[in-house]
Amino acid sequence: MKAYIETYGCTLNKADSMIIEGILRKQGVKIVSTPEKADIIFLNTCAVKLPTERRMIHRIKQLDRLGKRLVVCGCLPKINKKEIRKVSDCTLLDVNSFSRIPDILKGAEGEFFSNRPEEKLLFPMVHKGLTAPIPISTGCLGSCTYCGVRFSRGTLKSYSIKDIRSACENALNHGAIEIQLTSQDCGVYGKDIGTNIIELVDEIVSIPGDFKIRIGMMNPNAAYELMPELLKAFSHKKVYKFVHLPVQSGSNKILKAMRRKYDKDTFKQIVHMFRERYKDISISTDVIIGFPGETEEDFMQTIELLKETRPDITNISKFYPRPNTEASRMKKIPTEVIKKRSVICSDVCRRISFEQNKRYIGKEWNVFVTEKGKKGNFIARAPNYKQIIVKKAKLGNKYRIKVVKAHPSYLEGKIEHLFRK
Ligand code: SF4
């Protein structure tokens, strides 16, 4: 049998697709590169935002027209099954039912849903490339009023440090040079099993070898609880000095309406503590523009917070109501107002990112080239995970690179010499 896997969404979803491929290969299934060549198609969906959901529905219609068996998995089946059923009677597989894939291969059809998360790291996982997403937990401890993801991923289930270490070792043995510890909230990792992200990172940095570790997103409330010990988790040279803290809004009134469990001062304190400890730390955050009830003044508080904390990266999302969420029942702000505000926010963030990046012109580091870039370029990662675009490099090599130019979202580098093959 031949299978084709198409993946959308976050690092956790990418890791899920590597597990789906592992299970399929173990069942003797051949993985093919196009849906046309396949007998069965796995579409691993994302549904965090409405525009993404619409793209998924469009893709489902396209793939259905091929007349092959179609399995829609990922987050959409549990976030908005109704929309899928309007266009397709395909098989649905949620993120907790990978153990049913062999039955699906034997011909079982329908909907495979479960509220009991599986021990995902005990499934075979196929590693490709130099960067390896390793799920450390699924679910979260939040109940944010705008979020549909929790209907798909549920409540926090952490995987054991032992299983995570073996998954990392497996990835490194297959040639990975960058481990991406990923979950919905790395800050609450281990709360259900009596450990935490600090102890986990301690274990992973002890794995011999020259590789890098990226610690995934942490909600400010969870990160704050782990302070100041959390700072230590970033101290090892294997760990990128990069922290992703989604703040979502600079207005405490809106943070409350989002049920985000922290206020803007908490976010400021965390940013301050990281910057004081690591002067070149790269801070990434997320903001939602146009959450119901956001006044001009609330919006300006978000802009003020961004100007004050100067994030290196800001992922800006327009608010879209997600099905069955409390925020979907709140009075919406006119679309044109949301559009206007997100344009203003983009300009402010672009300027901040550019000024932050200019500070690195002339800097030199020994860094790995981990990915292919656009136009035949290559991507290396600075010690703080900033992208450095270089020409003529070899994937996996380590080079001495000098930053020669800055751009709002990346740095341009010149290879001084090969550091290690
Ligand atoms: S923490 Fe909030 S935003 Fe994140 S997955 Fe959980 S409910 Fe959604």
Side-chain angles (χ1 to χ4, degrees):
M1 182 186 280
K2 297 188 195 86
Y4 167 75
I5 305 170
E6 193 168 298
T7 308
Y8 295 86
C10 63
T11 312
L12 197 57
N13 232 23
K14 290 190 181 94
D16 274 354
S17 280
M18 293 158 71
I19 294 172
I20 291 171
E21 183 170 342
I23 296 169
L24 291 172
R25 286 178 184 274
K26 193 159 180 222
Q27 297 291 316
V29 174
K30 187 168 179 295
I31 305 300
V32 292
S33 57
T34 67
E36 288 75 15
K37 294 183 197 143
D39 306 307
I40 185 167
I41 298 167
F42 286 80
L43 179 66
N44 192 0
T45 62
C46 170
V48 70
K49 298 179 205 169
L50 184 58
T52 319
E53 176 185 297
R54 289 189 179 133
R55 272 178 55 214
M56 298 298 108
I57 297 294
H58 175 69
R59 190 65 182 135
I60 290 170
K61 283 195 266 185
Q62 284 180 321
L63 292 172
D64 242 356
R65 279 197 284 275
L66 295 173
K68 316 271 178 157
R69 287 199 65 198
L70 176 61
V71 180
V72 172
C73 50
C75 286
L76 184 57
K78 267 195 170 159
I79 291 179
N80 207 345
K81 183 175 88 173
K82 223 170 66 210
E83 281 307 306
I84 301 174
R85 285 300 178 230
K86 282 184 190 161
V87 298
S88 171
D89 57 9
C90 58
T91 293
L92 299 182
L93 176 75
D94 76 359
V95 297
N96 296 330
S97 305
F98 286 11
S99 57
R100 300 302 307 282
I101 291 174
D103 299 334
I104 293 172
L105 295 175
K106 292 190 197 100
E109 294 184 336
E111 299 174 3
F112 300 87
F113 287 2
S114 162
N115 290 328
R116 286 169 55 81
E118 297 161 315
E119 288 293 346
K120 279 259 173 82
L121 296 180
L122 301 185
F123 288 119
M125 195 172 183
V126 172
H127 287 286
K128 292 186 189 135
L130 300 169
T131 60
I134 303 289
I136 65 172
S137 61
T138 187
C140 69
L141 294 177
S143 55
C144 307
T145 56
Y146 55 83
C147 179
V149 176
R150 61 196 172 91
F151 301 134
S152 165
R153 301 262 177 199
T155 306
L156 176 69
K157 172 182 175 48
S158 301
Y159 307 129
S160 74
I161 289 186
K162 178 174 147 301
D163 291 347
I164 296 168
R165 181 182 174 122
S166 337
C168 292
E169 287 168 335
N170 179 31
L172 295 166
N173 294 342
H174 283 83
I177 51 176
E178 180 183 296
I179 298 287
Q180 300 170 341
L181 301 177
T182 184
S183 85
Q184 267 136 281
D185 185 356
C186 293
V188 295
Y189 167 75
K191 277 202 165 200
D192 54 329
I193 59 171
T195 185
N196 60 38
I197 189 77
I198 302 159
E199 292 176 2
L200 172 62
V201 172
D202 242 10
E203 181 71 24
I204 306 303
V205 295
S206 73
I207 300 174
D210 185 5
F211 62 92
K212 298 296 285 187
I213 300 167
R214 186 189 77 182
I215 300 176
M217 180 167 67
M218 289 185 280
N219 281 320
N221 55 306
Y224 191 69
E225 254 181 60
L226 294 169
M227 281 296 189
E229 294 76 19
L230 178 63
L231 296 171
K232 189 173 133 300
F234 291 78
S235 60
H236 196 281
K237 72 177 176 33
K238 281 182 176 151
V239 179
Y240 284 120
K241 306 298 174 271
F242 166 81
V243 61
H244 181 187
L245 293 160
V247 69
Q248 305 300 13
S249 174
S251 154
N252 287 341
K253 183 195 92 187
I254 295 297
L255 288 174
K256 204 152 179 278
M258 290 174 164
R259 206 182 290 125
R260 289 292 288 168
K261 298 182 183 171
Y262 54 84
D263 61 16
K264 64 181 170 189
D265 288 338
T266 304
F267 176 74
K268 284 193 230 176
Q269 283 180 52
I270 301 169
V271 170
H272 177 70
M273 284 192 253
F274 268 108
R275 288 231 165 97
E276 205 173 40
R277 179 75 170 71
Y278 305 103
K279 72 174 180 38
D280 280 342
I281 190 104
S282 176
I283 307 264
S284 170
T285 193
D286 306 351
V287 292
I288 294 175
I289 302 297
F291 185 84
E294 182 190 77
T295 61
E296 198 56 33
E297 198 214 330
D298 295 318
F299 171 64
M300 288 319 295
Q301 288 183 33
T302 297
I303 295 297
E304 283 321 306
L305 180 69
L306 293 170
K307 285 183 177 169
E308 194 180 331
T309 55
R310 305 184 61 71
D312 297 78
I313 300 167
T314 304
N315 308 305
I316 302 167
S317 302
K318 297 189 190 91
F319 172 79
Y320 290 96
R322 302 311 290 128
N324 308 312
T325 59
E326 286 158 76
S328 67
R329 295 186 284 278
M330 299 175 188
K331 188 166 178 301
K332 265 192 86 225
I333 290 182
T335 308
E336 63 282 358
V337 174
I338 298 179
K339 272 199 189 127
K340 191 171 88 359
R341 287 179 184 168
S342 48
V343 170
I344 295 167
C345 189
S346 303
D347 286 351
V348 168
C349 293
R350 191 185 156 75
R351 231 173 307 119
I352 293 171
S353 303
F354 195 17
E355 283 156 15
Q356 294 288 85
N357 282 354
K358 281 183 198 157
R359 297 176 307 148
Y360 296 95
I361 296 173
K363 283 242 174 176
E364 292 193 20
W365 297 292
N366 302 322
V367 291
F368 282 117
V369 169
T370 55
E371 297 159 65
K372 277 207 173 124
K374 297 190 189 97
K375 306 184 199 118
N377 293 327
F378 292 84
I379 300 175
R381 292 283 178 176
N384 61 7
Y385 200 63
K386 280 184 186 286
Q387 281 199 7
I388 312 172
I389 305 297
V390 292
K391 295 192 172 54
K392 298 200 188 72
K394 192 163 176 297
L395 283 177
N397 276 0
K398 198 171 195 174
Y399 296 97
R400 181 83 181 162
I401 290 179
K402 183 174 186 174
V403 177
V404 292
K405 197 172 177 192
H407 299 264
S409 59
Y410 67 94
L411 305 172
E412 228 176 285
K414 188 167 101 10
I415 293 179
E416 301 287 288
H417 56 78
L418 177 65
F419 182 80
R420 182 178 68 78
K421 210 174 191 77

